[in-house]
Amino acid sequence: MNNQETNHIYPIFDRMLGRADKEELLKQHGLMIWFTGLSGSGKSTIAIALERELQQRGLLCRILDGDNIRSGINNNLGFSAEDRVENIRRIAEVGKLFVDTGIITLAAFISPNNEIREMAAGIIGKEDFLEIYVSTPLEECERRDVKGLYAKARRGEIKNFTGISAPFEAPAHPALSLDTSKLSLKESVDQLLDLILPKVIKK
Ligand SMILES: Nc1ncnc2c1ncn2[C@@H]1O[C@H](COP(=O)(O)OS(=O)(=O)O)[C@@H](OP(=O)(O)O)[C@H]1O
Ligand SMILES: Nc1ncnc2c1ncn2[C@@H]1O[C@H](COP(=O)(O)OP(=O)(O)O)[C@@H](O)[C@H]1O
């Protein structure tokens, strides 16, 4: 069979399906919800709870956090300033693929300064990027010390530890600030739902 004969049976489509086609299928808009804040501030906990609430409403999400990124695609990176930039650059590129597939993407990374977060927003596209500052104070994060890392950092056993021996720059104009020393998990998630649902539900 020549090409003309096969094309008669199965026509050639020369346009790859795009974001609008995916969003139509999913009945939702893609969006990046970017959580920034200190280790132990509550980024992952909030992202996990939010994902459940969104899924219950029929919305498809993907969480990107240290557990699935630093252990895999970024397992060759550490915590020097340069490695953090490369960490966030790759996460933003991967995140863009999800957002362009119409998926609500929840990224939970310290992303410690404005420059690094602006790079991420630039890769993903500012209109698709919602910056959420989990503003829990250092004292509370250190009191929680979920992984015992603050104690190690204080003893000098971990170098360049954010908040102790490496800087954290608070975002100037986040879409939302959530201090989990004052807000319950439910209160944080409710605030996020109010902000996000109007942006992601496709009419
Ligand atoms: N030196 C140093 N500084 C900060 N954090 C450290 C460090 N070494 C290990 N960890 C653990 O790695 C998690 C932070 O990784 P991130 O990828 O979010 O960091 S960054 O955005 O590249 O700054 C962070 O996990 P989370 O608690 O989930 O934030 C820490 O547990
Ligand atoms: N109101 C709250 N909101 C979110 N997390 C809270 C809250 N109160 C206590 N926590 C606890 O704080 C810790 C936050 O850890 P985690 O979510 O891993 O932070 P991060 O991802 O920012 O490093 C968890 O052990 C969580 O149970």
Side-chain angles (χ1 to χ4, degrees), residues 36-48 65 108-110 134 136 140-141 143-144 146-147 179-186 188:
T36 175
L38 293 167
S39 174
S41 58
K43 303 181 296 294
S44 292
T45 303
I46 295 170
I48 288 165
D65 67 7
F109 297 92
I110 295 176
V134 185
T136 315
E140 173 63 11
C141 298
R143 192 192 61 75
R144 291 177 184 168
V146 184
K147 302 174 186 165
D179 176 348
T180 70
S181 69
K182 299 203 175 103
L183 295 170
S184 70
L185 181 55
K186 183 173 186 312
S188 292

